[in-house]
Amino acid sequence: MVISAFAALVGMGGAPHSSIMMGKGDKDTAEKILGNCTTALVFISVTLTALVLIFGEKMLMTFGVSEKIPILTLKDRRKYRRHRVI
């Protein structure tokens, strides 16, 4: 959900700007803008994923989750990752 929010943020900024450039006939600049948006989305997604994997339990505890929930959540996350790889 957080990654989707950042995707919307980048998309809402890049898409109109590239459309304006395409309307002006500057397709090279429009392609650069869309390339930059794609690069930003990949970077943000990888960074957020790494942060959640590293600090996921601490983040859950910060938001006031009981002590049993993070253990169950981590087990479920490991199962999900295992099934996604297969």
Side-chain angles (χ1 to χ4, degrees), residues 60 65-75:
L60 287 173
V65 176
S66 70
E67 292 185 17
K68 290 183 180 180
I69 300 296
I71 295 168
L72 296 173
T73 305
L74 293 174
K75 286 180 183 177

Side-chain angles (χ1 to χ4, degrees), residues 75-86:
K75 286 180 183 177
D76 289 340
R77 187 172 62 191
R78 288 185 189 115
K79 286 180 188 176
Y80 178 74
R81 265 190 292 175
R82 199 172 331 138
H83 291 296
R84 291 288 293 178
V85 171
I86 297 172

Side-chain angles (χ1 to χ4, degrees), residues 14-41:
H17 194 64
S18 65
S19 294
I20 291 168
M21 291 298 127
M22 288 176 70
K24 290 180 179 180
D26 193 1
K27 295 193 189 276
D28 290 334
T29 303
E31 287 180 9
K32 287 179 185 178
I33 292 168
L34 291 176
N36 287 338
C37 288
T38 303
T39 303
L41 285 174

